[in-house]
Amino acid sequence: LVMLEEQVSNNKWLALHDELTGLPNRRLFADRLGSAIERSRRENGRLALFMLDLNGFKAINDSLGHQAGDQVLCEMSNNLRESAHLFEGLARFGGDEFTMVACDLTLERPVTFFEDVIRRSVERPILVAGQPMIFTASLGVSVYPDDGQDASRLLHVADQRMYHLKHRSSSPRL
């Protein structure tokens, strides 16, 4: 019975978290984003949704293998986790995409403040196959209520803005 309870608990965790990084997955993030929007609506506040996609990640998998790619994703997750206390939610959305929500935007902490925090986290060097690499990311942002009133619209706008910036992407620097 104890083993069954542990298995059920483990299955619940896996249903809501990314197995590789341990971060919340898309499903749990959607729930947290919905709650954050509701809170912002009640408090007449603003929030920012950030969606980032690592630039040059495919080249890592293609040239160094998926194990190196997994290492990059884990290290990047750790870098982002260090500033996660500033965000309502942080998740691995899928592949090499991560999402974050910043609530209570203020004059002291505008969208640009959070963008800088994310960029500093992403651009910290990561050792890959013994080589230090610095990654960049394409970062799309949407703001509630300016860009949308619901999670679906905010995700769509952030995703579109991220892919619009993707064409200016750069590969990891050695």
Side-chain angles (χ1 to χ4, degrees):
L1 188 57
V2 170
M3 288 174 41
L4 181 59
E5 287 176 2
E6 287 176 3
Q7 183 63 42
V8 168
S9 177
N10 187 45
N11 287 346
K12 285 181 183 179
W13 188 88
L14 287 173
L16 299 173
H17 293 83
D18 175 59
E19 190 172 6
L20 177 67
T21 65
L23 289 176
N25 63 16
R26 180 185 301 235
R27 185 176 178 188
L28 181 54
F29 182 78
D31 183 59
R32 288 182 178 170
L33 176 58
S35 296
I37 290 169
E38 284 305 313
R39 191 177 84 226
S40 291
R41 185 174 288 131
R42 280 191 314 272
E43 296 173 1
N44 203 23
R46 298 177 70 220
L47 68 79
L49 169 65
F50 301 90
M51 183 170 281
L52 72 88
D53 184 272
L54 296 177
N55 297 327
F57 181 75
K58 185 177 180 328
I60 297 297
N61 276 339
D62 291 348
S63 63
L64 300 175
H66 290 279
Q67 185 175 356
D70 287 352
Q71 178 192 349
V72 168
L73 292 172
C74 289
E75 293 291 329
M76 191 61 63
S77 297
N78 290 335
N79 290 352
L80 292 168
R81 242 188 217 107
E82 288 183 16
S83 57
H85 65 280
L86 298 171
F87 297 93
E88 182 77 16
L90 163 64
R92 180 172 175 212
F93 208 63
D96 62 334
E97 292 182 356
F98 297 87
T99 53
M100 287 135 289
V101 174
C103 294
D104 306 320
L105 298 177
T106 64
L107 291 175
E108 296 81 30
R109 287 190 170 178
V111 171
T112 54
F113 168 83
F114 293 100
E115 287 173 328
D116 290 342
V117 168
I118 293 167
R119 282 197 179 91
R120 282 193 305 271
S121 294
V122 168
E123 293 176 357
R124 289 209 335 251
I126 295 174
L127 279 178
V128 181
Q131 293 288 321
M133 295 184 148
I134 298 174
F135 286 82
T136 60
S138 298
L139 184 64
V141 182
S142 60
V143 176
Y144 169 87
D146 306 353
D147 295 317
Q149 300 291 314
D150 59 53
S152 178
R153 177 69 184 156
L154 292 173
L155 283 164
H156 176 75
V157 170
D159 190 55
Q160 290 299 306
R161 289 177 178 163
M162 178 189 66
Y163 279 106
H164 178 72
L165 295 174
K166 193 75 177 164
H167 71 86
R168 293 189 232 164
S169 68
S170 61
S171 297
R173 299 186 300 265
L174 299 178

